[in-house]
């Protein structure tokens, strides 16, 4: 709690939905002024640049763009180890990975990474290199075209 009190936690991407209104109500009840939900933005780069840590606590993902953006921006990542994310972050050399649904692992990961910022940034270069090398348009688009052509030819 002492470490958390020194931090500001932002969730970017809020909209006017019942989920968002329930979340805002919950945050108000918790009386944690350092927790905030900010509206969705077309320019998230400034948030990545300002972030000390990016956290993704999904139970399920396909290939999340937000993880790729954090990787490209060299933000240390704490994420659940679920399919899709594992494709982007294959091991602990790229991010701190935790089991989904494990609140204690989230707390431990936050404490470790926020208490040791230099240690947290060790993985950022490997993560950035991976996303730039393997998940760029020049690499992926020809693969998508080849896959579509293969599927189309098998339907004929």
């Amino acid at each position: 709690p002492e470490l958390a009190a020194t931090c500001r936690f932002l969730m970017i991407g809020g909209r006017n939905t019942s989920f968002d209104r329930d979340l805002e109500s919950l945050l108000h009840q918790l009386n944690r002024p350092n927790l905030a939900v900010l509206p969705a933005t077309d320019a998230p780069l400034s948030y990545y640049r300002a972030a000390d840590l990016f956290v993704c606590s999904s139970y399920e993902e396909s290939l999340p763009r937000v993880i790729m953006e954090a990787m490209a921006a060299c933000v240390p990542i704490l994420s659940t180890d679920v399919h899709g994310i594992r494709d982007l972050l294959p091991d602990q050399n790229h991010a701190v990975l935790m089991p989904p649904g494990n609140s204690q692992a989230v707390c431990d990961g936050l404490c470790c990474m926020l208490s040791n910022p230099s240690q947290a940034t060790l993985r950022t270069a490997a993560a950035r290199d991976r996303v730039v090398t393997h998940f760029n348009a020049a690499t992926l688009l020809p693969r998508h075209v080849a896959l579509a052509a293969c599927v189309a030819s098998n339907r004929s």
Side-chain angles (χ1 to χ4, degrees):
E2 293 163 10
L3 178 60
T6 67
C7 300
R8 184 158 186 222
F9 299 92
L10 302 177
M11 294 177 67
I12 314 297
R15 301 193 188 281
N16 187 19
T17 67
S18 60
F19 172 81
D20 292 288
R21 289 187 293 276
D22 290 346
L23 181 59
E24 194 66 40
S25 175
L26 175 63
L27 292 178
H28 182 72
Q29 290 172 27
L30 291 173
N31 191 26
R32 299 283 193 265
N34 61 335
L35 300 175
V37 178
L38 300 180
T41 177
D42 291 336
L45 186 56
S46 60
Y47 292 103
Y48 288 110
R49 286 188 178 142
D52 295 315
L53 179 62
F54 178 87
V55 180
C56 180
S57 59
S58 298
Y59 285 95
E60 188 176 313
E61 283 289 351
S62 52
L63 199 65
R65 180 183 173 113
V66 293
I67 295 281
M68 288 190 263
E69 290 171 349
M71 292 168 75
C74 290
V75 180
I77 299 170
L78 172 65
S79 179
T80 46
D81 186 6
V82 296
H83 65 282
I85 292 174
R86 179 54 81 140
D87 294 328
L88 294 168
L89 303 166
D91 54 45
Q92 298 286 346
N93 294 320
H94 298 86
V96 173
L97 301 172
M98 60 193 166
N102 187 330
S103 298
Q104 187 61 53
V106 174
C107 293
D108 293 344
L110 283 168
C111 285
C112 179
M113 294 180 83
L114 293 171
S115 297
N116 305 297
S118 60
Q119 185 70 20
T121 59
L122 289 177
R123 298 171 177 90
T124 60
R128 178 172 167 68
D129 181 60
R130 179 163 172 76
V131 76
V132 168
T133 302
H134 298 289
F135 298 95
N136 65 69
T139 300
L140 290 183
L141 291 179
R143 290 180 183 171
H144 289 168
V145 169
L147 176 62
C150 179
V151 169
S153 69
N154 286 334
R155 291 188 172 194
S156 303

